Amino acid sequence: MNIVVCVKRVPDTAAEKKLDPSDHTLDRESGESILNPVDEYGVEEALRLREAHGGEVTVLTMGPAGAEKNAVRKALALGADRGVLVKDDGLAGSDALATAYVLALALAQMEFGLVILGSESTDARTSLVPQALAQLLGLPGITYVSKVEVDGSKVTVHREQEGGHWVIESELPAVISVVKGINEPRYATLKGIMSAKQKPLEVLSGEDAGLDPAEVGLSGSKTRILAAEARPPKQKGKLVKDEGHGHVELADFLQQNKFI
Ligand SMILES: Cc1cc2nc3c(=O)[nH]c(=O)nc-3n(C[C@H](O)[C@H](O)[C@H](O)COP(=O)(O)OP(=O)(O)OC[C@H]3O[C@@H](n4cnc5c(N)ncnc54)[C@H](O)[C@@H]3O)c2cc1C
């Protein structure tokens, strides 16, 4: 069974994130960027399913040139077989729905049994892309998956729920999003990093993907950022010197701030 893993390039979690004052989009070029952390679990799950059932693992991303190195090549170094990057200047500023639209067009050109995404990105955290993609592909979509089993043309998953999990079965092909902790991602070996450079990486332009420019980018996206304000600097905390009544002062503070 062939599997496609959608991976996103995001700013390094520790890096300071800056918005471009002209259009409020995230400045993705000034800082370090990485493979979206939960997508490493998606890649790992695909590799495990390939080890169990055979087939090919493709990583797919929509992003600027930098996404090749920090997202696709990283996933190829972990063991994926080939990469696809949809890269086009017209995609800049695309919202979650526009992103799902582009990924759906690229997937329409591929043969797959399962599409794996992460439960959320660390920059926007909308968690919208997985379900939007399933909808656009007209396939079953199951999010927040913590266990996957494939048996012939069926997939059975555990879906995280407050206080437990649901066991859900679906026909393949299907779209799932996985949560952190579904597995223990492997580390890229030196051999893996070296071989990643040789592995096939197809770069699709907007035209190659067959997209309508009016559906993507800042102008084509359904959501608009009207304004953006920097988060106010953190307030200095209150230091309580305990001279026997610290517990009372603490309780008062918690009550005044409606923590209790
Ligand atoms: C600070 C900030 C706030 C934003 N707020 C919104 C908003 O409220 N609404 C909105 O529509 N857009 C928003 N965006 C834009 C949004 O980040 C992008 O559209 C993004 O490509 C998809 O949304 P996401 O990162 O939230 O993905 P999520 O749905 O959180 O990502 C889940 C999974 O989808 C896959 N995925 C996501 N993006 C890609 C990609 N480019 N290529 C391949 N796979 C991918 C990955 O597997 C990822 O783990 C925001 C962007 C920023 C930086």
Side-chain angles (χ1 to χ4, degrees), residues 6-8 19 26 28 36 38-39 60-63 94-97 99 103 116-121 123-130 223 225:
C6 296
V7 298
K8 185 181 182 186
L19 293 179
L26 193 63
R28 294 183 184 280
N36 184 43
V38 70
D39 295 346
L60 167 64
T61 195
M62 176 196 98
S94 290
D95 68 4
L97 194 53
T99 302
L103 296 176
I116 301 181
L117 298 93
S119 53
E120 65 164 11
S121 71
D123 55 358
R125 298 185 187 281
T126 67
S127 295
L128 290 172
V129 174
T223 60
I225 306 170

Side-chain angles (χ1 to χ4, degrees), residues 62-174:
M62 176 196 98
E68 176 178 332
K69 176 167 155 281
N70 303 105
V72 182
R73 291 284 175 205
K74 172 80 196 275
L76 293 174
L78 291 168
D81 301 293
R82 70 186 194 100
V84 177
L85 165 63
V86 186
K87 178 171 77 78
D88 194 299
D89 295 346
L91 296 171
S94 290
D95 68 4
L97 194 53
T99 302
Y101 162 71
V102 173
L103 296 176
L105 287 171
L107 282 158
Q109 302 182 9
M110 300 183 196
E111 192 267 322
F112 59 85
L114 190 63
V115 181
I116 301 181
L117 298 93
S119 53
E120 65 164 11
S121 71
T122 52
D123 55 358
R125 298 185 187 281
T126 67
S127 295
L128 290 172
V129 174
Q131 219 42 335
L133 183 58
Q135 184 73 23
L136 291 169
L137 290 170
L139 293 177
I142 312 166
T143 54
Y144 303 106
V145 164
S146 58
K147 187 177 172 198
V148 184
E149 275 165 15
V150 167
D151 179 11
S153 67
K154 285 201 176 5
V155 62
T156 306
V157 304
H158 286 191
R159 185 182 194 281
E160 286 304 293
Q161 277 309 115
E162 199 139 331
H165 64 261
W166 290 347
V167 179
I168 303 174
E169 184 184 85
S170 165
E171 288 298 325
L172 292 169

